[in-house]
């Protein structure tokens, strides 16, 4: 069963490598990073009611899709069902509406981490996301691991953030103790085949920065709030945490151990995400 009753759910976009890859795929003629990306942790509000415990079957979603060669959109099941290997951060300690959580106080509200998969319908997403961002391409299901690793257990896995340039605005700076990454290593398998080994350590924004930004407008926290990191990807192809990156939107097929190939997920596929981090010894 779910380890928490999910109150609110926000998904961020904290990997620079992932953002660049997606930008190149969706906006091939423009700057892959939007002008705001290095000034604030970009995120979107998801549906807490569609967060399910790991092991729950995901039903292929229906929606509108439009390929560039079509004059009008069509309706049907997604042809580009994808995964996003992420970490989900569990929030504890409710706050009052109108009272932001300062970045150096974020640790008081970060309880722990669970493995997370934000399933995505890339063709539905590509047609709907301008101008307001993801909607039906994301809200049909997100998988949360059944076990939460407390932040205290990851104390020795903290690692410096990549250099943030330009310097964030003051509310996102904080002290050194707030600005950290996590030396968490993930492995993604499709039907038992290892397809990716992303590392969380390269993420651009700190969990504390994400939480501070989430509340800076006065948004309140509730026990059981969940926010996710966004897809964890690195600079090498073997560290890309989504199929749209691994196959470059279907142009470079993945070959599984049984000899079959994939551009995106097929019905009946099983996705497994595992992770580990160094301990004190």
């Amino acid at each position: 069963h779910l380890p928490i009753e999910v109150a609110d759910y926000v998904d961020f976009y904290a990997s620079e490598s992932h953002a660049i890859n997606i930008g190149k795929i969706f906006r091939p003629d423009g700057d892959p990073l939007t002008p705001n990306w290095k000034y604030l942790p970009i995120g979107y509000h998801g549906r807490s009611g569609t967060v399910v415990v790991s092991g729950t079957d995901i039903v292929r979603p229906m929606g509108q899709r439009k390929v560039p060669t079509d004059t009008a959109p069509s309706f049907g099941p997604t042809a580009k069902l994808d995964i996003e290997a992420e970490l989900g951060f569990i929030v504890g300690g409710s706050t009052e509406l109108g009272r932001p959580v300062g970045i150096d106080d974020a640790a008081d509200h970060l309880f722990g981490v669970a493995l997370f998969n934000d399933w995505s319908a890339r063709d539905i997403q590509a047609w709907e996301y301008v101008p307001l961002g993801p909607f039906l391409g994301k809200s049909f299901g997100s998988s949360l691991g059944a076990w939460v690793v407390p932040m205290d257990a990851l104390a020795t896995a903290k690692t410096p953030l990549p250099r943030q340039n330009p310097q964030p605005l003051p509310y996102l700076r904080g002290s050194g103790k707030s600005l950290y990454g996590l030396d968490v290593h993930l492995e993604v398998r499709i039907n038992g085949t290892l397809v990716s080994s992303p590392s969380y350590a390269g993420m651009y924004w700190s969990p504390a920065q994400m939480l501070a930004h989430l509340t800076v407008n006065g948004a309140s926290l509730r026990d059981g709030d969940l926010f996710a990191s966004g897809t964890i990807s690195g600079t090498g192809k073997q560290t890309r945490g989504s199929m749209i990156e691994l196959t470059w939107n279907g142009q470079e097929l993945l070959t599984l151990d049984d000899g079959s190939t994939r551009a995106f997920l097929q019905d009946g596929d099983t996705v497994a995400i595992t992770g580990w981090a160094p301990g004190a010894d």
Side-chain angles (χ1 to χ4, degrees), residues 210-230:
M210 289 185 258
L211 186 64
H213 185 69
L214 190 158
T215 64
V216 73
N217 66 346
S220 56
L221 297 176
R222 294 191 289 171
D223 292 324
D225 277 355
L226 167 69
F227 69 89
S229 61

Side-chain angles (χ1 to χ4, degrees), residues 38-127:
K38 289 195 172 182
Y39 286 93
L40 54 85
I42 294 175
Y44 75 91
H45 283 274
R47 290 177 62 91
S48 59
T50 60
V51 177
V52 296
V53 68
S54 172
T56 303
D57 286 345
I58 298 296
V59 177
R60 184 176 295 270
M62 307 284 284
Q64 290 192 28
R65 308 80 41 93
K66 182 183 179 299
V67 297
T69 54
D70 290 343
T71 57
S74 61
F75 178 81
T78 179
K80 293 185 175 182
L81 183 59
D82 199 0
I83 63 168
E84 292 196 340
E86 309 189 19
L87 291 184
F89 294 89
I90 311 300
V91 173
S94 60
T95 61
E96 293 182 25
L97 187 65
R99 294 183 178 272
V101 174
I103 188 167
D104 286 331
D105 296 323
D108 296 336
H109 299 275
L110 289 171
F111 169 68
V113 173
L115 296 174
F116 193 77
N117 183 357
D118 188 35
W119 305 87
S120 300
R122 297 300 187 182
D123 43 3
I124 297 172
Q125 177 187 357
W127 174 234

Side-chain angles (χ1 to χ4, degrees), residues 7 29 52 75 80 95 101 105 114 124 129 133 135 142 151 155 161 177 196 210 214 216 237 242 257:
D29 299 324
V52 296
F75 178 81
K80 293 185 175 182
T95 61
V101 174
D105 296 323
I124 297 172
Y129 88 111
F135 186 36
S142 302
M151 294 302 294
L161 286 180
K177 68 176 183 178
S196 180
M210 289 185 258
L214 190 158
V216 73
K237 183 175 181 179
S242 64
D257 290 343

Side-chain angles (χ1 to χ4, degrees), residues 1-264:
H1 57 78
L2 283 169
I4 56 166
E5 181 178 348
V6 181
D8 284 307
Y9 161 51
V10 173
D11 192 36
F12 282 99
Y13 195 43
S15 165
E16 183 177 5
S17 294
H18 174 68
I20 288 174
N21 287 337
I22 294 297
K24 287 179 177 178
I25 292 169
F26 280 0
R27 299 181 299 277
D29 299 324
D31 189 335
L33 286 183
T34 53
N36 59 350
W37 198 91
K38 289 195 172 182
Y39 286 93
L40 54 85
I42 294 175
Y44 75 91
H45 283 274
R47 290 177 62 91
S48 59
T50 60
V51 177
V52 296
V53 68
S54 172
T56 303
D57 286 345
I58 298 296
V59 177
R60 184 176 295 270
M62 307 284 284
Q64 290 192 28
R65 308 80 41 93
K66 182 183 179 299
V67 297
T69 54
D70 290 343
T71 57
S74 61
F75 178 81
T78 179
K80 293 185 175 182
L81 183 59
D82 199 0
I83 63 168
E84 292 196 340
E86 309 189 19
L87 291 184
F89 294 89
I90 311 300
V91 173
S94 60
T95 61
E96 293 182 25
L97 187 65
R99 294 183 178 272
V101 174
I103 188 167
D104 286 331
D105 296 323
D108 296 336
H109 299 275
L110 289 171
F111 169 68
V113 173
L115 296 174
F116 193 77
N117 183 357
D118 188 35
W119 305 87
S120 300
R122 297 300 187 182
D123 43 3
I124 297 172
Q125 177 187 357
W127 174 234
E128 73 180 1
Y129 88 111
V130 178
L132 291 182
F135 186 36
L136 299 183
K138 298 279 192 176
S139 61
F140 59 92
S142 302
S143 295
L144 181 68
W147 296 92
V148 180
V149 178
M151 294 302 294
D152 284 351
L154 294 172
T156 55
K158 292 181 179 179
T159 186
L161 286 180
R163 181 170 178 266
Q164 294 183 330
N165 184 28
Q167 186 179 38
L169 296 177
Y171 78 95
L172 291 172
R173 291 179 199 165
S175 63
K177 68 176 183 178
S178 303
L179 305 181
Y180 59 84
L182 292 170
D183 187 18
V184 175
H185 303 262
L186 301 184
E187 291 186 343
V188 181
R189 288 176 171 83
I190 298 175
N191 300 342
T193 300
L194 178 65
V195 298
S196 180
S197 300
S199 173
Y200 191 87
M203 300 293 272
Y204 191 87
W205 295 103
S206 166
Q209 289 175 316
M210 289 185 258
L211 186 64
H213 185 69
L214 190 158
T215 64
V216 73
N217 66 346
S220 56
L221 297 176
R222 294 191 289 171
D223 292 324
D225 277 355
L226 167 69
F227 69 89
S229 61
T231 303
I232 304 167
S233 292
T235 55
K237 183 175 181 179
Q238 71 280 5
T239 64
R240 297 173 183 173
S242 64
M243 293 186 74
I244 192 172
E245 296 171 90
L246 287 166
T247 69
W248 211 251
N249 203 20
Q251 297 179 43
E252 305 168 9
L253 297 182
L254 284 176
T255 300
L256 304 185
D257 290 343
D258 63 3
S260 63
T261 58
R262 296 288 187 279
F264 291 93

